[in-house]
Amino acid sequence: MFVRNCKIKTDQVLREGKSKRKKRRGGRAGDPAAASEGESKGQSYHPVCCEVCSTEVGVLDEDEVYHFFNVIPSNS
């Protein structure tokens, strides 16, 4: 499978598991070691954008696998 009309933003890194959700009850919210542990476990991704309109259309993971979302294949 080949990818066309896309550019990878290698200067930006997205990390899995760095969400800004509410803290769970009973969790270790005040423990800084727990926070750094959660950040290091997630996978990192590079954003993939449309070459024509620069809309973010997916991500590229560490294994160089593309993950597209809400995209229709075309030949433009």
Side-chain angles (χ1 to χ4, degrees), residues 20-24:
K20 296 180 180 179
R21 294 184 182 167
K22 293 182 181 179
K23 297 173 188 166
R24 287 192 231 166

Side-chain angles (χ1 to χ4, degrees), residues 4-21:
R4 294 183 180 175
N5 300 327
C6 290
K7 57 184 173 183
I8 303 164
K9 292 186 175 180
T10 56
D11 59 332
Q12 291 183 9
V13 177
L14 305 173
R15 299 216 182 266
E16 182 180 14
K18 257 184 118 177
S19 64
K20 296 180 180 179
R21 294 184 182 167

Side-chain angles (χ1 to χ4, degrees), residues 53-70:
C53 66
S54 297
T55 301
E56 191 172 309
V57 294
V59 293
L60 179 66
D61 67 13
E62 296 168 338
D63 298 325
E64 295 185 0
V65 175
Y66 288 89
H67 301 272
F68 292 101
F69 36 86
N70 300 326

Side-chain angles (χ1 to χ4, degrees), residues 19-49:
S19 64
K20 296 180 180 179
R21 294 184 182 167
K22 293 182 181 179
K23 297 173 188 166
R24 287 192 231 166
R25 285 187 264 170
R28 298 178 301 184
D31 188 4
S36 64
E37 178 184 321
E39 290 177 11
S40 64
K41 282 186 179 179
Q43 215 176 12
S44 64
Y45 301 93
H46 292 287
V48 177
C49 297

Side-chain angles (χ1 to χ4, degrees), residues 45 50 75:
Y45 301 93
C50 173
N75 293 327

